[in-house]
Amino acid sequence: MVKDQDYLKKTASFCIDLAKKLGATDSTAAVMHSISETVNFRNKKLDESDRSDSLGVSLTTYIGKKKSSISSSNLTEENIKTLIERCIETTKITPEDENNSLPDKDLLANKINDLNLYDDDHIENDEKIEYLKEVEEAAFQKKEIINTETGFSESKSNFILASSDGFLNGYKSSSFSASCVAVAKDSNNKMERDYEFTSTCHLNDMLKPSQIGAMAAKKTLQKLDPRKIESEKISIVFDRRISKGILSVFASAISASSIARGTSFLKDKINEEIFTSSINIFDKPNIVKGLGSRYFDSEGVKTDELKLVDQGILKHYLVDTYNGKKLNLKSNGRSGGTSNLYFEKGSISYKDLLKLNQRTLYITETIGHGSNLVTGDYSVGATGFMVENGVFKYPVSEITIAGNFKDIFKNITLADDLEFRYSTNAPTMLIEGMVVAGK
């Protein structure tokens, strides 16, 4: 079991009080405890079983505008005293930075509504093993499947954040996840792979093991015998597993740190239309059981829902205290990034989206990290399917897709099939006129 909040609060408060006695003008302390258990299978045999138990403290001290941080996994009182003394001494010799400060007190979270992020249920290793056996049995129902890798992870965590301005709060969270990677071989001895997974806050919300195995096998078989295609300019559809990546790049481009450094192609774009007028983007931290949900950000600032893009117009950056001061903006509770980030679903069905063009390239996997936040250039390897008149014709591999996000954002059409399976979510996405480099 994870440590209870009373223990974590006592430790965090001790850190804050001692830091003040030793000369800190301000300080923060985060005390965290997490337990994780993982079981992995390969080809119906146990491959690995692991358990980790992590207890630690992270301390930040301020002396005026000077700041330094230190962390440790040793929470004995004697070690914590030594830790704080070292942090104070380091702070004294650190250069001043006028932007160093705690968040404004009026921005701190003072009301917390239960989001049901913690599940007391525990699944023993024997049960994890039986779950994975069912996953692999379902995958191997298809004779073309020659290899599988499956895993089941359960984690529980609890933390407390304390600061010298009186903030003292935290919460428990849990996660349960399982995955299956399947490898298939065709009659020419060529192989392809794909996967399926489930990840939830609560054990009972997970997919059934047979669903995971069957879907992993189905997706893998569909990729067998891929073709190479000629280079061309063509409309591309991103599967939901891939379309969320476009949203992740957007989030990185509007982080206050990127904007303050001048390393984002979206600098100085607030109140400008960067998407088509049909696009709305939300960051919503208060979704019940949401994988990205939280009660406050990593500085203790309250996290209200933000409509980042309203009818194509950029309305907010993701602002923390330090970079907000550089930009003359108040924190909007996004220290540590987004929570549950998503595109509002579109108005066209998935099937109709596929029929918008006579020929469309449907992307199911991208390879590499080809996003340049400074210029907005985008180029990645990819695999997928050729779609003609809404019908999947054949798999495609060994291609590169490229464009610039300034153009990509302006040419997005979204389907109405939004699902919340990740902390960042997007429906199926059509992007008109991207460049594809083939054979």
Side-chain angles (χ1 to χ4, degrees):
M1 292 289 291
V2 291
K3 299 285 188 182
D4 61 42
Q5 291 212 327
D6 287 341
Y7 169 81
L8 302 181
K9 283 182 178 180
K10 182 180 178 181
T11 305
S13 297
F14 175 78
C15 291
I16 298 299
D17 292 342
L18 183 57
K20 184 177 181 180
K21 289 179 182 178
L22 294 177
T25 54
D26 281 307
S27 60
T28 65
V31 187
M32 300 146 286
H33 186 213
S34 64
I35 298 174
S36 178
E37 296 180 351
T38 301
V39 174
N40 293 318
F41 257 59
R42 185 192 298 268
N43 291 333
K44 300 182 181 180
K45 294 181 180 180
L46 180 64
D47 187 47
E48 183 182 16
S49 179
D50 181 62
R51 186 181 194 273
S52 64
D53 190 325
S54 175
L55 178 63
V57 59
S58 296
L59 178 76
T60 299
T61 59
Y62 299 79
I63 299 177
K65 293 298 181 181
K66 297 180 179 182
K67 169 188 172 184
S68 67
S69 300
I70 198 166
S71 62
S72 177
S73 58
N74 184 345
L75 267 64
T76 62
E77 186 172 312
E78 182 179 348
N79 184 70
I80 289 177
K81 287 180 179 178
T82 302
L83 199 70
I84 296 172
E85 289 170 356
R86 289 174 56 192
C87 196
I88 293 289
E89 291 306 310
T90 303
T91 306
K92 290 177 180 178
I93 61 174
T94 301
E96 289 190 352
D97 185 334
E98 62 179 8
N99 299 304
N100 284 335
S101 75
L102 296 181
D104 294 343
K105 289 188 70 172
D106 62 344
L107 297 179
L108 296 176
N110 53 28
K111 182 181 179 182
I112 289 181
N113 297 318
D114 184 21
L115 299 177
N116 201 8
L117 303 182
Y118 185 77
D119 183 3
D120 272 323
D121 284 345
H122 171 63
I123 178 168
E124 298 290 346
N125 269 10
D126 288 347
E127 296 174 274
K128 293 183 177 75
I129 289 171
E130 289 304 313
Y131 185 102
L132 295 180
K133 284 181 177 179
E134 287 188 50
V135 172
E136 297 209 341
E137 285 294 338
F140 277 111
Q141 291 297 310
K142 301 296 183 181
K143 66 180 187 303
E144 295 89 349
I145 300 299
I146 61 166
N147 196 310
T148 57
E149 291 182 31
T150 58
F152 192 115
S153 293
E154 173 187 348
S155 65
K156 305 283 180 68
S157 65
N158 194 8
F159 84 101
I160 285 293
L161 175 66
S163 65
S164 54
D165 58 10
F167 186 85
L168 182 65
N169 219 323
Y171 54 92
K172 289 182 177 181
S173 60
S174 60
S175 68
F176 300 85
S177 61
S179 63
C180 175
V181 177
V183 178
K185 181 187 289 187
D186 63 18
S187 56
N188 296 317
N189 289 326
K190 291 184 178 181
M191 294 183 288
E192 295 292 337
R193 57 171 287 283
D194 213 314
Y195 70 93
E196 186 55 271
F197 82 103
T198 181
S199 182
T200 61
C201 289
H202 287 248
L203 178 62
N204 289 336
D205 293 332
M206 296 179 71
L207 292 178
K208 301 296 183 185
S210 58
Q211 291 176 286
I212 299 173
M215 285 303 300
K218 179 181 179 181
K219 290 176 179 178
T220 303
L221 295 182
Q222 289 173 338
K223 295 173 73 172
L224 287 174
D225 195 23
R227 302 183 193 179
K228 297 180 182 180
I229 59 174
E230 300 288 343
S231 299
E232 62 177 309
K233 194 171 185 179
I234 188 172
S235 293
I236 287 179
V237 172
F238 284 116
D239 183 81
R240 286 177 297 194
R241 294 195 298 186
I242 308 303
S243 60
K244 70 184 182 68
I246 301 296
L247 201 49
S248 296
V249 172
F250 165 74
S252 297
I254 63 168
S255 70
S257 59
S258 294
I259 301 299
R261 291 195 305 265
T263 56
S264 170
F265 67 95
L266 292 180
K267 182 184 178 183
D268 300 324
K269 296 296 184 182
I270 291 292
N271 291 325
E272 290 192 19
E273 187 175 317
I274 61 171
F275 290 88
T276 59
S277 60
S278 63
I279 299 297
N280 296 298
I281 299 176
F282 294 86
D283 187 49
K284 189 172 183 179
N286 59 346
I287 295 176
V288 174
K289 296 184 181 181
L291 291 178
S293 292
R294 59 191 185 211
Y295 299 99
F296 47 82
D297 74 359
S298 61
E299 298 179 314
V301 176
K302 57 187 175 184
T303 52
D304 295 324
E305 178 181 320
L306 284 182
K307 193 172 188 179
L308 297 169
V309 172
D310 186 3
Q311 296 182 349
I313 298 172
L314 179 62
K315 290 296 186 181
H316 300 279
Y317 293 135
L318 303 172
V319 187
D320 61 286
T321 298
Y322 178 80
N323 290 291
K325 288 184 179 296
K326 286 186 174 183
L327 298 170
N328 198 28
L329 295 171
K330 282 194 172 186
S331 170
N332 54 22
R334 264 62 189 182
S335 178
T338 56
S339 55
N340 297 297
L341 179 67
Y342 62 96
F343 279 107
E344 185 177 63
K345 69 179 182 180
S347 58
I348 186 172
S349 70
Y350 171 80
K351 289 184 178 180
D352 289 340
L353 185 79
L354 296 180
K355 295 177 182 178
L356 286 179
N357 293 275
Q358 189 174 2
R359 289 178 71 252
T360 304
L361 192 58
Y362 189 96
I363 301 300
T364 58
E365 182 179 10
T366 56
I367 304 161
H369 303 279
S371 302
N372 187 324
L373 291 183
V374 179
T375 63
D377 290 331
Y378 175 69
S379 178
V380 292
T383 61
F385 298 87
M386 185 59 69
V387 179
E388 297 178 2
N389 297 315
V391 178
F392 284 75
K393 289 296 186 179
Y394 51 86
V396 173
S397 66
E398 297 183 41
I399 58 173
T400 299
I401 56 176
N404 187 282
F405 285 110
K406 296 173 187 176
D407 301 319
I408 290 171
F409 289 171
K410 291 280 191 177
N411 290 283
I412 288 177
T413 302
L414 299 174
D416 63 359
D417 58 350
L418 177 68
E419 288 184 344
F420 287 87
R421 299 189 66 190
Y422 313 86
S423 57
T424 298
N425 297 279
T428 307
M429 174 188 297
L430 169 69
I431 302 173
E432 300 282 358
M434 290 190 72
V435 175
V436 176
K439 61 183 179 179

